Amino acid sequence: MIIPKPVRLNTSPGRFVLDRHTALTTDPAFSEVAAWLRAELGPVVGGELLPGTGSGTITLSAREMPPEAYRLSTGAGGVLIEAGDPAGAFYGAQTFRQLLPPEAFRRAATGRPLPLPAVRIEDRPRFAWRGCLLDVARHFLTKADLLRFIDLMALHKLNVLHLHLTDDQGWRLQIRRYPRLTEVGAWRRESQVGWNGAMDGRPHGGYYAQDDIREIVAYAARRHITVVPEIDLPGHTQAAIAAYPELGNLDVPLEVATTWGVGANVLNTEERTITFFQNVMDEVLELFPSPYISVGGDECRKDQWRTSPAAQRQIGELGLRDEEELQSWMIGRFADHLSSHGRQLVGWDEILEGGAPEGAVIASWRDDHGAVAAAKAGHAVVTCPNTSTYLDYRQAPDEDEPVPFGTVLTLEDVYSFEPVPAALAGDQAAEHVIGSQCCLWTELIDSPRYLDYMAFPRLAAFAETVWSTSDRDLADFRQRLNEHLPRLAALGVEYRPDGGPLPWQQRPGVPGRPEETDTWRAKVADWTHNLREGR
């Protein structure tokens, strides 16, 4: 019934009934978790879950336990959530919510008491980094939609939002020192439809003001999610160069990119460019308390450096062998800058090619080779191979899929993903794998509902691979997913039906809205057709 699957779950006779008379009491250390739980359950029961004691009480209690671990007991005598830190208490509260009927997720008064089964659960995560990359550079996501996605991550006990804020097609973060980054870089005149399609003729853009970022970061923190910002460099920087041409290698003006793929326009390696982005990073550090800051470093074409007299002269003056080492020198400058502020650089596995800076965290996306090499070299590693974790890849080869992009990545494929590469099994280097993340790149994802369709239910499968310590069982997962999908439907998630019941499909003993099933099926067919047609 629970996703991701707990370490241990035992049921017993009896039940707990949640209603408007239910009280909630908490250890002072968990007061913020209690406030969140009151906000979630109060509208459902039509009450406030005021502090109190007795058989109808939910209790949050502090105990000596590992980080993020919790114990949850429910029964006629009440509900007890025990944890060693607020994160564990929060995950216990999320599990408690999943014991409720799906209607409880609508955050609207049900008009009746809600029964929960009597259970005892002991649980803890497998990995410290349980993440999702969300690309808001290619297609902008409003603050409200981003906060909604954070809630969905929290429901699945994911704890890192890797926010891809800049790329060739858009710069999404206000930098006060350099206002043209958003005045110019946040807007493009049109976008490519599909991966190789025609242009749509529609302007696209948007950005987060610094106050928006403060709100997003604080909102995520209350849900025990760390927001790791990515300012991509030295490649994927055409939007920045369009705003400040002196950052590039050409004497001709550029516009914010309107097509997808790996662009040729990259930053120059001059000292003033490094200073520019160090200044950018200083504002990033003020906004994001994350110990990790990503500088990307991926897919940087070196053609312009090879023909640049300045870049070639710099290679010689620095005693470097080639352009790969020039990129590593540049990445190293930012690693030093971040380290001087107590932060750790994150880069994609390409930064290994010329030598990654000491202490860099490697996000390995090209198969397992980068993860194995990085771990054996002593780097912390986050695995995210595109063949297993890229949720922007199509979910079936059928004509009904919105856009036929990438390899087929089914729910079963995601669920079978093993975050620790087989080549590291039994190796001490495996300890350097600190976790994994799934990725939602948005070249082809241009709306929140399309994001829902691509993310769910595969994100639920991924969450289990990084949380659960027990052996995975696809049949068992599918059974639990069938109970989980109505929760997503109640939250308004327009997920892709994948062998389970459609949203609001009636099941014995569970209130639902079966009369809406046909409407939903027609709705899915309609907007899937529109997406395929680029509308």
Side-chain angles (χ1 to χ4, degrees):
M1 63 181 81
I2 307 299
I3 291 179
K5 185 178 182 179
V7 173
R8 188 172 294 107
L9 185 154
N10 299 111
T11 60
S12 59
R15 65 178 187 171
F16 175 82
V17 177
L18 178 72
D19 59 26
R20 63 188 181 87
H21 302 296
T22 300
L24 193 158
T25 187
T26 183
D27 186 286
F30 302 153
S31 58
E32 194 170 78
V33 177
W36 173 84
L37 192 56
R38 286 191 175 97
E40 291 296 322
L41 298 183
V44 176
V45 300
E48 297 184 35
L49 277 73
L50 296 173
T53 58
S55 60
T57 300
I58 303 168
T59 302
L60 305 180
S61 178
R63 293 287 187 272
E64 286 290 329
M65 297 180 70
E68 300 187 294
Y70 69 90
R71 287 192 294 265
L72 168 64
S73 300
T74 66
V79 175
L80 175 62
I81 300 173
E82 300 174 290
D85 61 2
F90 179 76
Y91 297 134
Q94 286 284 16
T95 296
F96 171 77
R97 285 180 74 208
Q98 290 197 23
L99 296 173
L100 293 166
E103 62 192 286
F105 286 78
R106 295 193 182 111
R107 295 195 67 190
T110 61
R112 69 181 187 90
L114 299 175
L116 292 83
V119 299
R120 178 173 176 80
I121 295 173
E122 296 182 23
D123 205 7
R124 64 184 182 277
R126 181 183 179 191
F127 292 105
W129 185 302
R130 307 181 302 279
C132 179
L133 177 140
L134 184 56
D135 170 17
V136 294
R138 272 52 175 268
H139 279 102
F140 180 66
L141 199 67
T142 68
K143 179 176 68 176
D145 289 323
L146 184 53
L147 297 181
R148 171 182 177 269
F149 191 80
I150 287 170
D151 277 328
L152 293 172
M153 287 180 60
L155 174 65
H156 296 87
K157 301 184 175 73
L158 299 178
N159 69 346
V160 176
L161 172 60
H162 182 165
L163 200 57
H164 184 74
L165 289 162
T166 70
D167 215 293
D168 294 325
Q169 296 83 12
W171 183 285
R172 307 295 176 211
L173 175 64
Q174 179 191 25
I175 300 296
R176 291 194 168 125
R177 184 162 183 163
Y178 303 116
R180 286 178 60 83
L181 286 172
T182 47
E183 290 172 358
V184 174
W187 313 94
R188 62 176 181 264
R189 59 182 173 83
E190 58 183 352
S191 305
Q192 189 174 12
V193 178
W195 194 253
N196 297 305
M199 308 308 293
D200 65 6
R202 298 180 297 178
H204 179 82
Y207 67 91
Y208 304 108
Q210 293 200 358
D211 283 345
D212 293 330
I213 291 296
R214 292 186 181 94
E215 181 180 346
I216 291 165
V217 168
Y219 189 91
R222 288 193 295 273
R223 288 148 181 81
H224 300 276
I225 292 174
T226 299
V227 182
V228 175
E230 180 170 317
I231 306 297
D232 212 343
L233 57 87
H236 290 287
T237 48
Q238 187 167 323
I241 297 169
Y244 292 92
E246 64 271 21
L247 300 174
N249 296 278
L250 306 177
D251 293 328
V252 297
L254 298 173
E255 65 173 357
V256 177
T258 59
T259 59
W260 318 126
V262 180
N265 294 298
V266 303
L267 298 178
N268 64 53
T269 58
E270 296 173 15
E271 193 64 31
R272 64 178 181 176
T273 297
I274 291 174
T275 299
F276 181 103
F277 276 91
Q278 286 176 338
N279 293 335
V280 168
M281 289 298 175
D282 287 344
E283 293 196 33
V284 169
L285 296 177
E286 291 177 4
L287 296 169
F288 296 91
S290 165
Y292 304 103
I293 306 293
S294 177
V295 301
D298 60 311
E299 297 180 325
C300 178
R301 289 174 58 177
K302 311 297 192 301
D303 303 350
Q304 292 179 351
W305 291 354
R306 292 187 182 98
T307 59
S308 164
Q312 293 302 309
R313 184 169 57 252
Q314 197 170 18
I315 288 173
E317 291 173 351
L318 293 170
L320 305 176
R321 289 185 299 182
D322 54 21
E323 291 78 18
E324 297 296 342
E325 288 196 356
L326 181 60
Q327 174 169 323
S328 290
W329 171 82
M330 192 176 191
I331 295 292
R333 292 289 300 275
F334 291 107
D336 291 343
H337 188 75
L338 294 174
S339 179
S340 71
H341 291 81
R343 311 297 184 92
Q344 199 167 357
L345 179 141
V346 178
W348 298 101
D349 57 55
E350 284 94 332
I351 71 171
L352 293 167
E353 292 169 0
E358 184 179 357
V361 177
I362 306 300
S364 176
W365 72 278
R366 298 179 299 176
D367 298 320
D368 290 335
H369 305 299
V372 173
K376 288 184 178 295
H379 290 281
V381 175
V382 176
T383 55
C384 44
N386 63 327
T387 51
S388 298
T389 68
Y390 274 32
L391 304 189
D392 53 311
Y393 284 7
R394 55 188 172 147
Q395 299 169 75
D398 306 333
E399 286 296 318
D400 291 339
E401 291 304 303
V403 176
F405 171 65
T407 186
V408 173
L409 186 63
T410 66
L411 180 76
E412 292 84 354
D413 293 331
V414 175
Y415 191 72
S416 66
F417 167 59
E418 170 48 47
V420 177
L424 292 176
D427 194 315
Q428 271 192 319
E431 297 177 2
H432 292 289
V433 178
I434 60 175
S436 184
Q437 65 185 25
C438 58
C439 300
L440 283 156
W441 302 100
T442 61
E443 289 96 337
L444 309 183
I445 300 176
D446 62 356
S447 68
R449 66 192 319 194
Y450 193 176
L451 184 69
D452 278 5
Y453 183 89
M454 299 305 287
F456 296 98
R458 291 184 297 180
L459 184 139
F462 172 80
E464 190 149 309
T465 71
V466 289
W467 176 276
S468 300
T469 59
S470 56
D471 292 337
R472 272 172 267 147
D473 182 328
L474 180 61
D476 173 70
F477 172 75
R478 278 205 171 277
Q479 183 176 355
R480 285 179 288 113
L481 182 63
N482 286 347
E483 298 187 22
H484 189 63
L485 292 178
R487 298 174 193 140
L488 296 180
L491 290 167
V493 176
E494 296 186 276
Y495 63 83
R496 178 187 186 276
D498 192 328
L502 289 167
W504 307 312
Q505 187 171 2
Q506 182 71 44
R507 295 187 299 112
V510 178
R513 295 191 284 180
E515 73 280 0
E516 299 193 16
T517 299
D518 291 338
T519 301
W520 174 263
R521 183 180 289 108
K523 185 178 180 183
V524 169
D526 179 60
W527 66 260
T528 298
H529 173 74
N530 288 342
L531 287 169
R532 286 178 55 81
E533 296 299 319
R535 296 199 294 269

